[in-house]
Amino acid sequence: TQQLLATPTPRARPYRVSNWDRTVRKGIMADSLEDLLEKVRSALLLVGTISVVIDEDGTSVETEEFFQTLEEGTVLLVLTKGQIWRPAKTAGYQL
Amino acid sequence: TQQLLATPTPRARPYRVSNWDRTVRKGIMADSLEDLLEKVRSALLLVGTISVVIDEDGTSVETEEFFQTLEEGTVLLVLTKGQIWRPAKTAGYQL
């Protein structure tokens, strides 16, 4: 129990993860950013370097610390090399 | 505990920091303005003098005291020499 008090075991929390063009979205449980990246990789069959951003505003999630502050159910977008975040809503651009 | 009472340890809080033209936005944990500036510098690879303003209205955040009053998740813009804040929304520019 001493160890538990010193470093509380992170609890796996739910996230919703889309691919770059938002054609696929999967619910993924993860207890850390590293864990999430690993599970996203296998769930979305991605290879190479991947990164995650917050779907809402494109904020890059690069550190465990910042990742832990995200709310449960946060929608994330996973990007592979060369892919960039674009806003989901295209109101005003209805060509 | 005496030390803790005298100077409560500031808790790192999450901020979202964009570069000048809002093409990059990163989640950054910081417990002080000084800490934030240091982390922004390395996360966004900036050199020289930098300053942060509130993305929403361009308010300069120049003191630790004011910085501590910002809410978690506040979106900040980082400016280097010669860069100025411009409003994010381009409503009215729908060409």
Side-chain angles (χ1 to χ4, degrees):
Chain A
T1 33
Q2 272 184 331
Q3 241 184 352
L4 276 171
L5 288 170
T7 55
T9 310
R11 191 169 51 88
R13 301 191 305 158
Y15 301 89
R16 301 181 183 197
V17 184
S18 287
N19 61 345
W20 167 78
D21 61 2
R22 301 186 180 86
T23 51
V24 176
R25 178 178 289 189
K26 300 199 178 190
I28 290 179
M29 297 293 290
D31 57 25
S32 67
L33 178 57
E34 194 186 352
D35 186 32
L36 182 87
L37 289 171
E38 193 181 301
K39 286 175 178 169
V40 161
R41 215 182 277 276
S42 76
L44 296 176
L45 304 174
L46 300 171
V47 291
T49 307
I50 62 171
S51 62
V52 291
V53 304
I54 298 169
D55 180 57
E56 187 186 12
D57 66 359
T59 300
S60 292
V61 181
E62 299 183 346
T63 66
E64 287 289 352
E65 269 183 303
F66 185 78
F67 177 76
Q68 294 297 340
T69 69
L70 298 176
E71 285 180 24
E72 295 198 353
T74 294
V75 182
L76 300 167
L77 218 70
V78 58
L79 304 175
T80 62
K81 203 183 168 186
Q83 295 179 339
I84 61 166
W85 172 87
R86 288 180 200 282
K89 288 175 185 175
T90 51
Y93 286 91
Q94 294 160 350
L95 303 176
Chain B
T1 33
Q2 272 184 333
Q3 239 182 354
L4 276 171
L5 288 170
T7 55
T9 311
R11 191 170 51 87
R13 301 191 304 159
Y15 301 89
R16 299 181 185 196
V17 184
S18 286
N19 60 347
W20 167 78
D21 60 1
R22 301 185 181 85
T23 52
V24 175
R25 178 176 288 188
K26 298 197 180 193
I28 290 180
M29 298 292 290
D31 57 25
S32 68
L33 178 58
E34 193 186 352
D35 186 32
L36 181 87
L37 290 171
E38 193 180 303
K39 286 176 178 168
V40 161
R41 214 181 276 277
S42 78
L44 296 176
L45 303 174
L46 300 170
V47 290
T49 307
I50 62 172
S51 62
V52 290
V53 302
I54 297 170
D55 179 57
E56 189 185 11
D57 66 359
T59 301
S60 290
V61 181
E62 297 183 347
T63 65
E64 287 289 351
E65 271 182 300
F66 184 75
F67 177 76
Q68 293 297 339
T69 68
L70 298 176
E71 286 178 25
E72 294 198 353
T74 294
V75 182
L76 300 167
L77 217 70
V78 58
L79 304 174
T80 61
K81 203 183 168 185
Q83 294 179 340
I84 61 166
W85 172 86
R86 289 180 200 281
K89 288 176 184 171
T90 52
Y93 286 91
Q94 294 161 350
L95 304 175

